Amino acid sequence: MSRRVFLASFAREADVIRAVRGIRAMGCRVVDVYTPYPVHGLDEAMGLAPSRLPVVCFGLGALGAAASFFFQSWVSTSAWPLRIGGKPFFAWPSFIPITFELMVLFAGLGTVAALLVSRGLLPWKTPSLSLPGATDDRFVVAVDREDFMFDAAAVTALCRGCGVI
């Protein structure tokens, strides 16, 4: 299902932030804003909730550390116990480097995978924005045209006042 959107292109980040705040003040829903670089304050202007990726990263890191530590414990005590240099079978200080490395690996790769899946950036999907210059040197605001508060004349006038291209 394709979504009908109203697109407005801007040259400066201050203009796009002002336009997004004005559009939201009118009661319309901003679907997305396409920018060439991250813009500070744009998430607040769009009314986006804070990201849950830090929680996912922490959870996956804890999972990687726990899985690594328990696997090393199981191998050294049950599956393949070897007495090396007089050390006990459960020599947990020797597990710390591998536990740390797998914690970082699980957290890093899992967070990237979660980001790609949550944002819908999957390999078989085609890009939906077909406006030349978007994300190259222009800022583009996409407003939901099917929103019941959408008024094309009012949104156009607001965007013109903010310096639409």
Side-chain angles (χ1 to χ4, degrees), residues 69-85:
F69 189 81
F70 288 126
F71 179 74
Q72 290 177 86
S73 302
W74 172 73
V75 167
S76 67
T77 58
S78 308
W80 197 1
L82 294 175
R83 188 167 301 274
I84 300 173

PDB file of all heavy atoms in Angstrom, residues 69-85:
ATOM      1  N   PHE A  69      30.149 -16.479  28.885  1.00  0.00           N
ATOM      2  CA  PHE A  69      30.636 -16.915  30.196  1.00  0.00           C
ATOM      3  C   PHE A  69      30.116 -18.315  30.523  1.00  0.00           C
ATOM      4  O   PHE A  69      30.878 -19.181  30.976  1.00  0.00           O
ATOM      5  CB  PHE A  69      30.221 -15.923  31.276  1.00  0.00           C
ATOM      6  CG  PHE A  69      30.859 -16.187  32.600  1.00  0.00           C
ATOM      7  CD1 PHE A  69      32.148 -15.749  32.851  1.00  0.00           C
ATOM      8  CD2 PHE A  69      30.187 -16.893  33.587  1.00  0.00           C
ATOM      9  CE1 PHE A  69      32.750 -15.997  34.063  1.00  0.00           C
ATOM     10  CE2 PHE A  69      30.778 -17.145  34.799  1.00  0.00           C
ATOM     11  CZ  PHE A  69      32.069 -16.704  35.043  1.00  0.00           C
ATOM     12  N   PHE A  70      28.837 -18.562  30.295  1.00  0.00           N
ATOM     13  CA  PHE A  70      28.289 -19.875  30.605  1.00  0.00           C
ATOM     14  C   PHE A  70      28.850 -20.950  29.683  1.00  0.00           C
ATOM     15  O   PHE A  70      29.096 -22.074  30.124  1.00  0.00           O
ATOM     16  CB  PHE A  70      26.767 -19.853  30.566  1.00  0.00           C
ATOM     17  CG  PHE A  70      26.171 -19.116  31.716  1.00  0.00           C
ATOM     18  CD1 PHE A  70      25.272 -18.093  31.502  1.00  0.00           C
ATOM     19  CD2 PHE A  70      26.520 -19.418  33.023  1.00  0.00           C
ATOM     20  CE1 PHE A  70      24.720 -17.397  32.560  1.00  0.00           C
ATOM     21  CE2 PHE A  70      25.975 -18.733  34.097  1.00  0.00           C
ATOM     22  CZ  PHE A  70      25.068 -17.719  33.861  1.00  0.00           C
ATOM     23  N   PHE A  71      29.077 -20.633  28.421  1.00  0.00           N
ATOM     24  CA  PHE A  71      29.663 -21.618  27.510  1.00  0.00           C
ATOM     25  C   PHE A  71      31.086 -21.972  27.943  1.00  0.00           C
ATOM     26  O   PHE A  71      31.450 -23.155  27.975  1.00  0.00           O
ATOM     27  CB  PHE A  71      29.654 -21.092  26.075  1.00  0.00           C
ATOM     28  CG  PHE A  71      30.271 -22.054  25.100  1.00  0.00           C
ATOM     29  CD1 PHE A  71      29.593 -23.202  24.727  1.00  0.00           C
ATOM     30  CD2 PHE A  71      31.525 -21.820  24.563  1.00  0.00           C
ATOM     31  CE1 PHE A  71      30.153 -24.098  23.841  1.00  0.00           C
ATOM     32  CE2 PHE A  71      32.092 -22.708  23.681  1.00  0.00           C
ATOM     33  CZ  PHE A  71      31.406 -23.853  23.309  1.00  0.00           C
ATOM     34  N   GLN A  72      31.885 -20.971  28.275  1.00  0.00           N
ATOM     35  CA  GLN A  72      33.247 -21.245  28.720  1.00  0.00           C
ATOM     36  C   GLN A  72      33.255 -22.026  30.038  1.00  0.00           C
ATOM     37  O   GLN A  72      34.086 -22.916  30.243  1.00  0.00           O
ATOM     38  CB  GLN A  72      34.021 -19.940  28.892  1.00  0.00           C
ATOM     39  CG  GLN A  72      34.317 -19.258  27.586  1.00  0.00           C
ATOM     40  CD  GLN A  72      35.002 -17.942  27.797  1.00  0.00           C
ATOM     41  OE1 GLN A  72      36.217 -17.910  27.921  1.00  0.00           O
ATOM     42  NE2 GLN A  72      34.224 -16.874  27.872  1.00  0.00           N
ATOM     43  N   SER A  73      32.331 -21.707  30.920  1.00  0.00           N
ATOM     44  CA  SER A  73      32.230 -22.443  32.186  1.00  0.00           C
ATOM     45  C   SER A  73      31.862 -23.897  31.943  1.00  0.00           C
ATOM     46  O   SER A  73      32.442 -24.807  32.536  1.00  0.00           O
ATOM     47  CB  SER A  73      31.179 -21.805  33.087  1.00  0.00           C
ATOM     48  OG  SER A  73      31.490 -20.477  33.341  1.00  0.00           O
ATOM     49  N   TRP A  74      30.897 -24.129  31.077  1.00  0.00           N
ATOM     50  CA  TRP A  74      30.470 -25.487  30.768  1.00  0.00           C
ATOM     51  C   TRP A  74      31.596 -26.290  30.127  1.00  0.00           C
ATOM     52  O   TRP A  74      31.834 -27.439  30.501  1.00  0.00           O
ATOM     53  CB  TRP A  74      29.258 -25.439  29.845  1.00  0.00           C
ATOM     54  CG  TRP A  74      28.852 -26.775  29.327  1.00  0.00           C
ATOM     55  CD1 TRP A  74      28.244 -27.773  30.026  1.00  0.00           C
ATOM     56  CD2 TRP A  74      29.035 -27.263  28.001  1.00  0.00           C
ATOM     57  NE1 TRP A  74      28.036 -28.859  29.215  1.00  0.00           N
ATOM     58  CE2 TRP A  74      28.519 -28.565  27.958  1.00  0.00           C
ATOM     59  CE3 TRP A  74      29.586 -26.726  26.840  1.00  0.00           C
ATOM     60  CZ2 TRP A  74      28.530 -29.339  26.804  1.00  0.00           C
ATOM     61  CZ3 TRP A  74      29.596 -27.487  25.700  1.00  0.00           C
ATOM     62  CH2 TRP A  74      29.074 -28.774  25.679  1.00  0.00           C
ATOM     63  N   VAL A  75      32.294 -25.686  29.171  1.00  0.00           N
ATOM     64  CA  VAL A  75      33.373 -26.394  28.495  1.00  0.00           C
ATOM     65  C   VAL A  75      34.501 -26.740  29.469  1.00  0.00           C
ATOM     66  O   VAL A  75      35.012 -27.857  29.484  1.00  0.00           O
ATOM     67  CB  VAL A  75      33.919 -25.568  27.306  1.00  0.00           C
ATOM     68  CG1 VAL A  75      35.227 -26.125  26.793  1.00  0.00           C
ATOM     69  CG2 VAL A  75      32.904 -25.532  26.187  1.00  0.00           C
ATOM     70  N   SER A  76      34.874 -25.793  30.315  1.00  0.00           N
ATOM     71  CA  SER A  76      36.022 -26.030  31.183  1.00  0.00           C
ATOM     72  C   SER A  76      35.708 -26.911  32.389  1.00  0.00           C
ATOM     73  O   SER A  76      36.622 -27.482  32.979  1.00  0.00           O
ATOM     74  CB  SER A  76      36.610 -24.705  31.660  1.00  0.00           C
ATOM     75  OG  SER A  76      35.705 -24.058  32.502  1.00  0.00           O
ATOM     76  N   THR A  77      34.434 -27.043  32.765  1.00  0.00           N
ATOM     77  CA  THR A  77      34.101 -27.871  33.923  1.00  0.00           C
ATOM     78  C   THR A  77      33.461 -29.197  33.562  1.00  0.00           C
ATOM     79  O   THR A  77      33.682 -30.187  34.252  1.00  0.00           O
ATOM     80  CB  THR A  77      33.136 -27.124  34.873  1.00  0.00           C
ATOM     81  OG1 THR A  77      31.960 -26.781  34.166  1.00  0.00           O
ATOM     82  CG2 THR A  77      33.798 -25.898  35.457  1.00  0.00           C
ATOM     83  N   SER A  78      32.688 -29.262  32.474  1.00  0.00           N
ATOM     84  CA  SER A  78      31.940 -30.491  32.169  1.00  0.00           C
ATOM     85  C   SER A  78      32.357 -31.143  30.865  1.00  0.00           C
ATOM     86  O   SER A  78      32.627 -32.343  30.832  1.00  0.00           O
ATOM     87  CB  SER A  78      30.447 -30.185  32.080  1.00  0.00           C
ATOM     88  OG  SER A  78      30.002 -29.510  33.202  1.00  0.00           O
ATOM     89  N   ALA A  79      32.344 -30.393  29.795  1.00  0.00           N
ATOM     90  CA  ALA A  79      32.523 -30.977  28.477  1.00  0.00           C
ATOM     91  C   ALA A  79      33.964 -31.405  28.201  1.00  0.00           C
ATOM     92  O   ALA A  79      34.200 -32.464  27.608  1.00  0.00           O
ATOM     93  CB  ALA A  79      32.061 -29.999  27.405  1.00  0.00           C
ATOM     94  N   TRP A  80      34.932 -30.587  28.619  1.00  0.00           N
ATOM     95  CA  TRP A  80      36.325 -30.882  28.299  1.00  0.00           C
ATOM     96  C   TRP A  80      37.231 -30.329  29.389  1.00  0.00           C
ATOM     97  O   TRP A  80      38.007 -29.405  29.153  1.00  0.00           O
ATOM     98  CB  TRP A  80      36.665 -30.272  26.951  1.00  0.00           C
ATOM     99  CG  TRP A  80      37.881 -30.810  26.315  1.00  0.00           C
ATOM    100  CD1 TRP A  80      38.717 -31.772  26.764  1.00  0.00           C
ATOM    101  CD2 TRP A  80      38.432 -30.388  25.076  1.00  0.00           C
ATOM    102  NE1 TRP A  80      39.738 -31.997  25.906  1.00  0.00           N
ATOM    103  CE2 TRP A  80      39.585 -31.145  24.834  1.00  0.00           C
ATOM    104  CE3 TRP A  80      38.064 -29.443  24.132  1.00  0.00           C
ATOM    105  CZ2 TRP A  80      40.373 -30.991  23.698  1.00  0.00           C
ATOM    106  CZ3 TRP A  80      38.843 -29.297  23.019  1.00  0.00           C
ATOM    107  CH2 TRP A  80      39.987 -30.066  22.797  1.00  0.00           C
ATOM    108  N   PRO A  81      37.164 -30.883  30.583  1.00  0.00           N
ATOM    109  CA  PRO A  81      37.976 -30.350  31.676  1.00  0.00           C
ATOM    110  C   PRO A  81      39.451 -30.702  31.502  1.00  0.00           C
ATOM    111  O   PRO A  81      39.803 -31.866  31.339  1.00  0.00           O
ATOM    112  CB  PRO A  81      37.385 -31.005  32.917  1.00  0.00           C
ATOM    113  CG  PRO A  81      36.723 -32.233  32.436  1.00  0.00           C
ATOM    114  CD  PRO A  81      36.311 -31.974  31.025  1.00  0.00           C
ATOM    115  N   LEU A  82      40.300 -29.712  31.499  1.00  0.00           N
ATOM    116  CA  LEU A  82      41.748 -29.895  31.400  1.00  0.00           C
ATOM    117  C   LEU A  82      42.411 -29.137  32.537  1.00  0.00           C
ATOM    118  O   LEU A  82      42.094 -27.980  32.780  1.00  0.00           O
ATOM    119  CB  LEU A  82      42.280 -29.351  30.070  1.00  0.00           C
ATOM    120  CG  LEU A  82      41.842 -30.043  28.792  1.00  0.00           C
ATOM    121  CD1 LEU A  82      42.363 -29.283  27.597  1.00  0.00           C
ATOM    122  CD2 LEU A  82      42.344 -31.470  28.754  1.00  0.00           C
ATOM    123  N   ARG A  83      43.320 -29.787  33.200  1.00  0.00           N
ATOM    124  CA  ARG A  83      44.086 -29.105  34.236  1.00  0.00           C
ATOM    125  C   ARG A  83      45.380 -28.633  33.581  1.00  0.00           C
ATOM    126  O   ARG A  83      46.232 -29.427  33.212  1.00  0.00           O
ATOM    127  CB  ARG A  83      44.374 -30.033  35.404  1.00  0.00           C
ATOM    128  CG  ARG A  83      45.008 -29.269  36.561  1.00  0.00           C
ATOM    129  CD  ARG A  83      45.023 -30.053  37.829  1.00  0.00           C
ATOM    130  NE  ARG A  83      43.725 -30.476  38.318  1.00  0.00           N
ATOM    131  CZ  ARG A  83      42.917 -29.745  39.089  1.00  0.00           C
ATOM    132  NH1 ARG A  83      43.292 -28.541  39.459  1.00  0.00           N
ATOM    133  NH2 ARG A  83      41.761 -30.206  39.491  1.00  0.00           N
ATOM    134  N   ILE A  84      45.513 -27.305  33.431  1.00  0.00           N
ATOM    135  CA  ILE A  84      46.670 -26.711  32.766  1.00  0.00           C
ATOM    136  C   ILE A  84      47.397 -25.848  33.766  1.00  0.00           C
ATOM    137  O   ILE A  84      46.833 -24.890  34.284  1.00  0.00           O
ATOM    138  CB  ILE A  84      46.242 -25.885  31.550  1.00  0.00           C
ATOM    139  CG1 ILE A  84      45.521 -26.774  30.548  1.00  0.00           C
ATOM    140  CG2 ILE A  84      47.433 -25.209  30.907  1.00  0.00           C
ATOM    141  CD1 ILE A  84      44.911 -26.052  29.408  1.00  0.00           C
ATOM    142  N   GLY A  85      48.641 -26.151  34.024  1.00  0.00           N
ATOM    143  CA  GLY A  85      49.471 -25.332  34.907  1.00  0.00           C
ATOM    144  C   GLY A  85      48.979 -25.275  36.339  1.00  0.00           C
ATOM    145  O   GLY A  85      49.249 -24.306  37.024  1.00  0.00           O
TER     146      GLY A  85
END
